[in-house]
Amino acid sequence: MAGKQFFSSNNLGADLCVTQHRTHIGKLKFKRVRSACDLKKYDQIIYWGDFQNNPMWGGRDFARREIGNSDLNTVEEAFEYWKEFYLELGKQLPESTKIYSFGNCFLGMNQKLEDPGTKKSFEYFLQRTDGIVVRDTGSYQLIKSLFSELSQRVYQGYDVSSLLQTNTRPSKNKEPYFVWSFGRSDISADEAQRLVQNIESKLGIKAINIDWLKPELLFGLRHFFHGAFKKILNTIANSSFVLTDIYHMTLNCYNLRTPVIGIYKESRDTVQFGTLNDEKKKMLFEMVDGADFIFRIHGDEITAAETESICKCAKNILERPDFPARLFQAHKNRTNELENLILELMGFK
């Protein structure tokens, strides 16, 4: 949705495409492409957001989804297909075709790059692509350290979800409340409830739970600003703060200028969790000068000291409206810089 808005607002015609499964999310329509032949008519190809050009995603998520949904029978075959489409696509297109990667994450790709063939494909991707704007500092540093001589067209950017315009504005609250939603860091329902109740008790503020990850939102309502999702955005916009362990919920809150207290698990800060590892959340908070707004949970149970630190942050948000202001300003700056950089690389600025 952010991509559709971005290109429309800049009067740039664009077809939205996917390579797997769904051809629509809500009322957002996509063209399903399975071959470079489907793309030869375009003069510019853009990989928009998430992990699309990351070999870790290609070998895990993409390859596994491909099995049973195509004529490919093994993960190895599916991974080779992914490499052809997401790293080596330029070989099958005219030399004049511009290729860009905007807002992608490359964390966790190290292990896949140990394979010489995959490394060679990634090196081609770096050389052929006309502009690679990564979404986080870790991805930027990783590419620069591994491919210093081939990374001249790699730029530090931000998550393209920040470009989403919701047109949701907060109104005056009759009664303060905070929103909470967990689902990414293996925090048990009992532990989440205990933490929420502690915050309610210590600060005298009520909590509202939103199930951000329920399927209807992931694959339907969320992407078309359905009425039900607008109500959720309004609930977030009018809350005092949001408590969550969900990366993209955090970005949506920043878009609404709602403070976020982030939670992550020490045990999930590893590559084995793939695209759902918690490292990306820490980096997001650090990129908006919000390292003191995210808290690490060390074990299965949230300790009294961890609860106290979270409550202290919540108290500061409630008592000092200026406390989270630097996050919103940093988010705005990052977003503006991202938009300008994309337009400049595409030759429209």
Side-chain angles (χ1 to χ4, degrees), residues 91-241:
K91 293 180 178 180
Q92 305 174 68
L93 298 176
E95 289 185 10
S96 59
T97 304
K98 299 287 187 180
I99 300 176
Y100 302 99
S101 173
F102 295 146
N104 274 271
C105 177
F106 295 90
L107 297 175
M109 68 175 177
N110 310 54
Q111 187 174 0
K112 283 293 184 183
L113 291 177
E114 292 175 3
D115 170 64
T118 303
K119 183 177 180 182
K120 185 177 180 180
S121 295
F122 195 81
E123 288 174 341
Y124 173 81
F125 167 73
L126 292 175
Q127 293 172 297
R128 176 63 175 85
T129 308
D130 295 274
I132 301 170
V133 180
V134 300
R135 79 179 189 187
D136 57 83
T137 52
S139 293
Y140 182 77
Q141 292 164 3
L142 180 62
I143 294 177
K144 287 291 184 179
S145 65
L146 294 177
F147 304 97
S148 58
E149 295 183 3
L150 299 177
S151 58
Q152 292 86 352
R153 291 193 290 272
V154 177
Y155 304 87
Q156 175 65 68
Y158 196 44
D159 197 298
V160 290
S161 298
S162 66
L163 298 170
L164 185 65
Q165 300 295 318
T166 64
N167 298 318
T168 301
R169 296 291 179 266
S171 57
K172 292 184 178 180
N173 296 329
K174 293 181 179 179
E175 181 181 355
Y177 63 88
F178 73 95
V179 167
W180 65 279
S181 186
F182 293 145
R184 290 302 196 202
S185 296
D186 291 337
I187 295 171
S188 71
D190 289 342
E191 282 300 294
Q193 195 64 52
R194 190 165 64 85
L195 173 61
V196 168
Q197 289 173 349
N198 268 316
I199 296 174
E200 287 181 308
S201 175
K202 290 177 181 291
L203 302 181
I205 182 173
K206 72 175 183 178
I208 295 177
N209 176 239
I210 288 176
D211 188 358
W212 184 267
L213 296 176
K214 68 181 180 180
E216 304 95 281
L217 290 180
L218 279 175
F219 302 116
L221 309 185
R222 182 185 301 169
H223 295 268
F224 188 62
F225 289 64
H226 188 280
F229 189 55
K230 285 185 177 180
K231 289 182 180 179
I232 289 177
L233 293 179
N234 280 323
T235 300
I236 290 173
N238 287 291
S239 66
S240 298
F241 62 89

Side-chain angles (χ1 to χ4, degrees), residues 280-304:
K280 63 182 183 181
K281 285 187 286 191
K282 290 191 298 178
M283 289 184 178
L284 174 60
F285 277 83
E286 290 168 356
M287 287 181 71
V288 294
D289 195 22
D292 51 339
F293 284 77
I294 186 167
F295 299 88
R296 180 173 63 179
I297 305 302
H298 293 78
D300 292 332
E301 296 184 356
I302 303 173
T303 67

